[in-house]
Amino acid sequence: MDPLRRRQRPAGEHAVIGALRQFRSFDRPIQLLQVNQVGINLGFYMLMPYLAHHLATGAGLAAWAIGLILGLRNMSQQGMFLVGGSLADRLGYKPMIMMGCALRTVGFALFGLTTSLPLLALAALLTGFAGALFNPAARAYLACEAGERKVEAFAVFNVFYQGGILLGPLVGVALLSVGFTAVCLSAAAIFAALTVLQGRYLPKRRVMDRDERQPVLRDWKRAFGDRAFLSFATAMIASYGLSYQMYLGVPLEVQRTGGGDGGVTALYALSALLGIAGQVRLTAWCAARWTRGQAITRGLALMGLAFTPMAVAVSPPWSMLPAVACSILLTLGTMIAFPFEMATIADMAGDRLIGTYYGVYNLLSGVGILAGNLLAGALVDVARSSGWANLPWLLL
């Protein structure tokens, strides 16, 4: 056999090897943060997709109570991002990452050990607040540690992020054969292990000295008064309204066209695999040709154009092809914009308030997600009642 041919590898394998090589090129703190992220998403996605069904059948809760618990989890995370970011700037990134993982350990264990509505509500609050603590802190730590290599670091970050999303539901559905309690306790064990791992190996970063600290409200006033940052964050609200249609609009369209739960799962797997196999190469390609602003702009444009296949679809109603095309384009647009977007926020924040800026940004992103979901849901209802099936995708 030709030795050159024997050494050839599939393109996807080359991409994964490239991502691992990029991962190894960073210092240990960044490597640990990447591993931490895949663990966070593994634990989260092995439990959360199956929580609503458990609350209905295992805990016997009414629909309003299930909505309350899921709403409390989302509200306590999105609403507390600003607090979590400020605490990270003042108390240190490492303590907030550890505290977030520890709180999620308790919250996930509670989900599996109780059917009491008050305790389940407490579990939801702890789980959400945990995300508000470690999310801005981890991104701020990564941005500080990466220095001039922020874009590369966030590209690898998204590879591990997508890896956790891909593996989590698979592990969760396998553990469901044992029982939902096993799923919850396994997820809690992952977060407990992450807490210990970071406590042992993640170095502390310098925090503000007392004479550097200003009142928290003054820090928030600076962030909300930074016109360039606030304009950027406001413009990016739309991107989150679009990208989160992967969890609402696109699945509803798949169900409408007969794809069922299996079709929805396949789309999520496809999106995650694109991120794992292509993120590092795509980011390198964009960085070599475009400025950060151009990359973000073109990523956003692609996210908007992603809905064109469903808006102009004339295929039979049972065809999933428009939804598949939308998912691919939406994922690619997000992959293009994300690393440059995260690096831009850190550069705008300077050295002192990176956690606070990420907190504000995540808070505004949550507004985008809520507004996008309300708009898309209302449009889908109008489309069903009017017979204009393409209306939601045309307006998106």
Side-chain angles (χ1 to χ4, degrees), residues 26-27 29-30 33 85 88-89 92-94 97 135-151 153-154 157 202-208 292 342-358:
F26 288 106
D27 294 335
I30 292 181
L33 289 169
D89 286 331
Y93 304 141
K94 176 178 176 175
I97 296 171
N135 190 305
R139 283 162 172 73
Y141 195 129
L142 187 68
C144 289
E145 194 70 25
E148 295 300 316
R149 298 184 65 195
K150 292 184 187 72
V151 170
F154 279 109
F157 179 89
L202 190 65
K204 289 184 178 179
R205 287 195 61 87
R206 176 186 173 274
V207 296
M208 295 181 194
R292 285 186 185 177
M342 291 294 108
T344 298
I345 298 165
D347 287 345
M348 286 181 163
D351 294 332
R352 204 177 72 87
L353 295 177
I354 297 179
T356 300
Y357 270 58
Y358 275 124

Side-chain angles (χ1 to χ4, degrees), residues 193-210:
L194 290 174
T195 306
V196 174
L197 182 67
Q198 289 163 123
R200 178 69 178 83
Y201 294 108
L202 190 65
K204 289 184 178 179
R205 287 195 61 87
R206 176 186 173 274
V207 296
M208 295 181 194
D209 296 328
R210 289 187 178 275

